[in-house]
Amino acid sequence: SRDWEACMTFNGISWGYVDAAQAANYAYNAQGILRMLARCAGGGGNLLLNIGPAPDGSVPEDAVEPLTAVGRWLKANGGAAYGRMKRATVRGNGVCEATMGADNAVYMWNWIWPSSGSMAFGGFADAPKAVSYLHDGKPIDFELKGQRLILKNLPAACPAPEAGVTVLKLEFGGEPQYAFASYLPQLHKGEEITPDRA
């Protein structure tokens, strides 16, 4: 219910400089940084990421490539993280994590791309107006079956050009009507969640 910030350090062990060879086993790659960013943005918070500059003030070598990759990724997908993000009321599906913009758009950050050509998200009582890839705006075919949103005709390989993390944008007319695990009454005190109750 208030503004918050996660203050993290790039190698997870020190706020100051640590020799790259010694920190190698602890340093984050681009995907690790993006996971932290998704968690913070999904909770409506901010990420502060410290790099511990070298004694001459330069950015340590082990941080340059991951941070450059994240910068390129953010250039194409920044809408899923920048600005005033709402605390996500929608969840991902085990291989995706959700963030929500102030305009009620849901951004699904995909970590593992499905080779099957389809992907599903449960708990939606209403269908989005549109689904697209955030990095290039190309539309994605979808249908709502019951409370499962099914994305169809997806490419076999991950379409994201940077870091292998694809963001899917789900646009709704208002606040998405969503209930976690809607088909599992045992998680809702035995009550069945129907579309009119989500």
Side-chain angles (χ1 to χ4, degrees):
S1 63
R2 60 183 182 178
D3 293 339
W4 65 273
E5 179 174 75
C7 302
M8 307 296 290
T9 182
F10 182 80
N11 57 32
I13 55 175
S14 174
W15 286 91
Y17 174 73
V18 176
D19 177 74
Q22 294 178 335
N25 291 334
Y26 307 99
Y28 288 105
N29 59 17
Q31 290 78 11
I33 295 168
L34 290 173
R35 297 225 19 163
M36 281 192 290
L37 184 58
R39 185 76 34 96
C40 291
N46 188 56
L47 173 63
L48 179 148
L49 184 61
N50 170 72
I51 58 168
D56 65 1
S58 64
V59 175
E61 282 185 36
D62 59 324
V64 171
E65 191 281 324
L67 291 174
T68 301
V70 168
R72 288 190 306 262
W73 186 92
L74 282 168
K75 187 173 183 179
N77 297 285
Y82 285 141
R84 186 114 178 121
M85 303 300 288
K86 295 169 66 171
R87 181 177 297 273
T89 56
V90 172
R91 293 195 187 177
N93 62 359
V95 296
C96 290
E97 194 154 346
T99 61
M100 284 181 71
D103 62 353
N104 293 314
V106 175
Y107 301 95
M108 292 293 186
W109 303 42
N110 177 262
W111 312 120
I112 300 173
W113 192 254
S115 59
S116 63
S118 66
M119 182 186 308
F121 302 100
F124 287 95
D126 56 342
K129 295 188 302 181
V131 178
S132 61
Y133 298 104
L134 183 57
H135 70 275
D136 62 10
K138 288 184 181 173
I140 298 173
D141 296 334
F142 67 92
E143 69 175 315
L144 187 68
K145 291 180 79 172
Q147 295 172 49
R148 290 178 54 83
L149 177 61
I150 302 169
L151 309 186
K152 306 185 299 183
N153 304 317
L154 301 175
C158 176
E162 297 295 339
V165 179
T166 302
V167 177
L168 312 167
K169 182 178 182 182
L170 287 59
E171 299 176 66
F172 292 86
E175 181 85 23
Q177 299 303 304
Y178 175 86
F180 173 70
S182 60
Y183 285 141
L184 300 174
Q186 60 271 36
L187 296 180
H188 299 281
K189 301 179 182 176
E191 293 183 41
E192 187 173 336
I193 303 296
T194 58
D196 61 321
R197 290 195 56 244

